[in-house]
Amino acid sequence: MSPKKLGLAAALTFALSNTVVAEEQVLNIYNWSDYINPEAVTQFEKETGIKVNYDVYDSNEVLEAKLMSGRTGYDLVVPTGSFLERHVQAGIYAEIDRSKLTNYANLDTVLAEKISRHDAGNKHNVPYAWGTIGLGFNEAMVKERLGEMPLDTLDLIFKPEVAAKLADCGIGLLDSPAEVMSIALNYLGLDPNSEKKSDLKKATALVKSVRSSYKYFHSGQYISDLANGEVCVALGYNGDILQAQSRAEEAGQGNVIGYAIPKEGTLVWFDLLAIPADAPHPEAAHKFIDFVLKAETAAGISNYVYYAVANTAAEPLLLDEVRNNPGIYPSDEVKANLFTQNAHTAKFDRLLTRAWSGIKTGR
């Protein structure tokens, strides 16, 4: 090769290597709203020099719609286990390269084994956080309307005569058909993962029977609304409701927010870090995953968002109010009454979407 050509080749190699380096200086994250301490993102940027672009969503369905369309430009997303399960089947995610994760040993192996039911060998995910879906309530408002009735029951949202007493102060439900209908099925004594048409009809009839008492369906609004007294009951994610509790205390307006894991049983979920197969900056994504796996980072996330993390190294760094809160880290007895959600077939999802639309519109 002539010196001129060698020079050109060297220039091209230099340009390409610079492009790779430039790519690694950017990280596009798509995560749930109110789900990380902003200081953690700042710290990651400071440690690595990588600029983070951080977008948020409030339901798995929104995330899935983007992922299925392809070319999202995101490097890291955080689907719930059952959704990741079918995304893996569709080839949406790249495999995680554990050789790039120096903190992988910090993971809770017992919880990792449970998560592997969604992703054999956990090849495409690293756990971010886990928790339950339960009942958030304004203690004074609910007691005024229901007296001394126990509040650790889904009767608050699924029993028409009970929900009707709460309609004036407001009931908010997650806008998450897969999760809400799974909980409704379990409440009826049916398999929460059933895909039988007859079972779906029963669950749909149940929710429709109480629909007039619901103020809205939304997967994020209830945080501020519980804290401000705009709603008195919400079926939501435990960490969100505990954030509402904290905000209400800070506001000092007299709103005392409680959280209960329903005695009938409820869904336990795992949110998982995953790298889309077409991620433009996979190296940066691995660096962020390893950063999240650090004991200090994981504990900081749990202390800030009030969700449990599957990180044993983080446990000594948890605040007492977090570690000892049964709404965040429930007892083994309560855990035994929790169920996981399986991925749905495409056929059932169409039926579920149609049923959910009918519920929301009141048709």
Side-chain angles (χ1 to χ4, degrees):
M1 187 180 288
S2 70
K4 187 174 182 180
K5 288 184 177 178
L6 279 170
L8 179 60
L12 285 170
T13 301
F14 178 78
L16 286 171
S17 65
N18 270 0
T19 300
V20 172
V21 171
E23 283 182 353
E24 292 180 355
Q25 301 310 304
V26 177
L27 177 64
N28 302 316
I29 299 176
Y30 198 33
N31 197 358
W32 295 82
S33 59
D34 298 297
Y35 212 22
I36 194 168
N37 186 340
E39 292 180 5
V41 176
T42 303
Q43 183 64 28
F44 174 76
E45 291 180 322
K46 183 179 178 181
E47 288 183 13
T48 64
I50 295 171
K51 167 64 179 171
V52 176
N53 298 313
Y54 198 95
D55 293 339
V56 300
Y57 54 89
D58 64 8
S59 78
N60 278 295
E61 288 77 11
V62 169
L63 169 63
E64 184 171 76
K66 286 214 173 191
L67 290 172
M68 289 301 188
S69 67
R71 296 184 180 278
T72 63
Y74 291 116
D75 303 301
L76 203 56
V77 295
V78 195
T80 301
S82 60
F83 280 78
L84 177 126
E85 182 179 334
R86 64 183 182 193
H87 295 169
V88 168
Q89 295 167 2
I92 285 177
Y93 299 124
E95 288 195 13
I96 302 292
D97 185 350
R98 293 184 192 168
S99 70
K100 297 175 180 176
L101 305 178
T102 60
N103 298 301
Y104 193 81
N106 289 345
L107 282 178
D108 184 318
T109 55
V110 174
L111 290 176
E113 174 59 30
K114 290 181 181 293
I115 294 165
S116 69
R117 298 170 191 172
H118 297 300
D119 178 21
N122 290 321
K123 293 180 180 178
H124 306 85
N125 83 86
V126 170
Y128 181 78
W130 68 276
T132 53
I133 292 177
L135 296 160
F137 48 84
N138 183 304
E139 293 182 2
M141 287 182 174
V142 173
K143 187 173 182 179
E144 180 184 345
R145 290 158 177 80
L146 300 182
E148 298 302 318
M149 175 181 166
L151 303 182
D152 62 341
T153 171
L154 291 166
D155 287 351
L156 269 64
I157 61 168
F158 287 150
K159 205 166 189 176
E161 57 269 34
V162 175
K165 295 178 182 179
L166 301 169
D168 68 308
C169 59
I171 298 175
L173 249 65
L174 287 171
D175 189 6
S176 178
E179 292 171 325
V180 174
M181 297 304 272
S182 182
I183 292 170
L185 284 166
N186 186 71
Y187 176 80
L188 290 171
L190 302 170
D191 176 4
N193 287 301
S194 172
E195 292 200 351
K196 294 179 182 177
K197 282 186 180 180
S198 57
D199 287 348
L200 178 58
K201 284 182 179 178
K202 291 173 184 175
T204 302
L206 169 68
V207 183
K208 280 187 174 181
S209 72
V210 202
R211 172 65 182 91
S212 61
S213 294
Y214 299 157
K215 186 171 184 176
Y216 58 68
F217 296 84
H218 198 280
S219 297
Q221 185 177 338
Y222 61 88
I223 302 175
S224 58
D225 284 358
L226 271 174
N228 299 332
E230 295 297 320
V231 297
C232 60
V233 172
L235 178 72
Y237 304 115
N238 61 314
D240 283 354
I241 292 167
L242 293 168
Q243 282 185 57
Q245 184 182 74
S246 179
R247 290 184 190 181
E249 290 174 359
E250 291 172 3
Q253 299 299 312
N255 291 312
V256 178
I257 308 303
Y259 175 75
I261 296 176
K263 64 182 181 182
E264 297 89 352
T266 190
L267 193 150
V268 58
W269 49 263
F270 299 95
D271 283 343
L272 311 166
L273 294 163
I275 302 173
D278 61 356
H281 314 109
E283 293 298 318
H286 277 89
K287 287 181 181 178
F288 190 82
I289 291 173
D290 202 40
F291 175 76
V292 167
L293 286 171
K294 288 169 64 174
E296 297 82 2
T297 308
I301 290 171
S302 191
N303 290 335
Y304 184 83
V305 303
Y306 289 0
Y307 284 113
V309 290
N311 189 312
T312 53
E315 290 174 7
L317 303 176
L318 295 173
L319 298 173
D320 287 342
E321 64 200 66
V322 173
R323 184 192 300 110
N324 300 324
N325 189 322
I328 304 174
Y329 291 93
S331 68
D332 291 339
E333 182 182 358
V334 172
K335 281 187 199 174
N337 208 23
L338 304 176
F339 57 85
T340 56
Q341 185 180 37
N342 299 339
H344 289 147
T345 61
K347 181 180 179 181
F348 181 77
D349 256 335
R350 286 192 291 273
L351 295 174
L352 181 61
T353 299
R354 195 176 306 132
W356 191 248
S357 177
I359 288 169
K360 290 176 67 176
T361 58
R363 294 174 184 168

